[in-house]
Amino acid sequence: QVQLQESGPGLVKPSETLSLTCAVSGYSISSGYYWGWIRQPPGKGLEWIGSIYHSGSTYYNPSLKSRVTISVDTSKNQFSLKLSSVTAADTAVYYCARLDSSSWETSLDYWGQGTLVTVSS
Amino acid sequence: SSELTQDPAVSVALGQTVRITCQGDSLRSYYASWYQQKPGQAPVLVIYGKNNRPSGIPDRFSGSSSGNTASLTITGAQAEDEADYYCNSRDSSGNWVFGGGTKLTVL
């Protein structure tokens, strides 16, 4: 059974960098699939942040692209998110997920439980 | 356009059938996937591809697509189906995109 677990600080100061890690168990990241981050501000909908292929190629949400970096560490079977210059608008529950994709369909088939990150001084 | 549009709220009587829709240009070339999210929980994949259900998803959930519109149908809605539902797809640039979500109330 594939499992994902987010970890990182729950409180980040404005203008600093938010850093989260997603540890994957039950599947080797280097074997395939995309791996990504999704966030959900309190009371609002889901927002895709970005995805990374097991080989390292990335896709980022155009609205966040200038501030986002996603990387993968196959030796630790985990991937990470860095979001720079955060503001209160970045306060959200952050989820990591596995993304399956072909030429005509895509799905996020496994999700972490989510972690709340609050941006506040 | 990379947007996916959903009705904010839909209601259905217990045991009746409800359709939740998702509109967007990307759906002309990409099937939508659908997610159920209950309060305080992570989203759960319920439909993907042409009309595929992951293991453990009841067969009252089904999906369909026509033109720029994807639909999630719940046939015989149950009280436990009350939740937020989100569609997802990829746009022409390869970026993933979510719909704004539909809050389903079972009366």
Side-chain angles (χ1 to χ4, degrees):
Chain A
Q1 176 75 351
V2 180
Q3 293 184 318
L4 295 88
Q5 178 67 57
E6 306 90 350
S7 62
L11 180 64
V12 181
K13 290 183 168 56
S15 79
E16 295 190 344
T17 296
L18 179 160
S19 296
L20 295 174
T21 296
C22 182
V24 179
S25 59
Y27 188 85
S28 173
I29 285 180
S30 58
S31 295
Y33 290 97
Y34 287 92
W35 304 87
W37 292 94
I38 300 92
R39 71 180 183 179
Q40 185 171 36
K44 297 188 178 180
L46 300 172
E47 179 181 35
W48 171 74
I49 299 170
S51 304
I52 187 165
Y53 196 48
H54 66 96
S55 60
S57 60
T58 54
Y59 288 87
Y60 295 136
N61 186 319
S63 69
L64 299 170
K65 188 173 185 177
S66 63
R67 300 194 290 130
V68 173
T69 302
I70 296 176
S71 59
V72 63
D73 186 340
T74 55
S75 67
K76 295 182 179 180
N77 214 39
Q78 64 186 32
F79 60 102
S80 299
L81 167 71
K82 291 188 184 300
L83 180 66
S84 63
S85 304
V86 297
T87 68
D90 295 310
T91 293
V93 174
Y94 285 76
Y95 295 99
C96 58
R98 188 177 83 167
L99 299 89
D100 193 6
S101 189
S102 67
S103 298
W104 61 89
E105 66 181 53
T106 187
S107 61
L108 290 74
D109 56 1
Y110 291 96
W111 295 67
Q113 65 185 26
T115 186
L116 174 62
V117 179
T118 301
V119 178
S120 175
S121 55
Chain B
S1 171
S2 61
E3 293 183 353
L4 295 178
T5 301
Q6 298 182 240
D7 291 329
V10 172
S11 62
V12 61
L14 185 67
Q16 296 303 300
T17 297
V18 63
R19 177 173 292 182
I20 298 170
T21 61
C22 173
Q23 288 188 303
D25 289 341
S26 63
L27 300 179
R28 296 185 183 279
S29 53
Y30 241 94
Y31 285 112
S33 51
W34 290 91
Y35 304 84
Q36 177 192 69
Q37 186 180 36
K38 296 182 179 179
Q41 297 183 19
V44 173
L45 175 67
V46 294
I47 291 289
Y48 66 98
K50 190 173 183 180
N51 182 19
N52 301 301
R53 284 176 289 105
S55 175
I57 301 302
D59 61 5
R60 62 178 179 272
F61 289 88
S62 63
S64 61
S65 183
S66 179
N68 73 335
T69 302
S71 300
L72 172 70
T73 300
I74 307 174
T75 304
Q78 301 300 301
E80 60 264 32
D81 299 333
E82 186 162 291
D84 294 328
Y85 291 85
Y86 295 90
C87 59
N88 176 265
S89 184
R90 294 185 75 175
D91 66 17
S92 57
S93 297
N95 297 316
W96 281 261
V97 60
F98 283 98
T102 297
K103 181 178 182 61
L104 175 67
T105 299
V106 180
L107 303 172

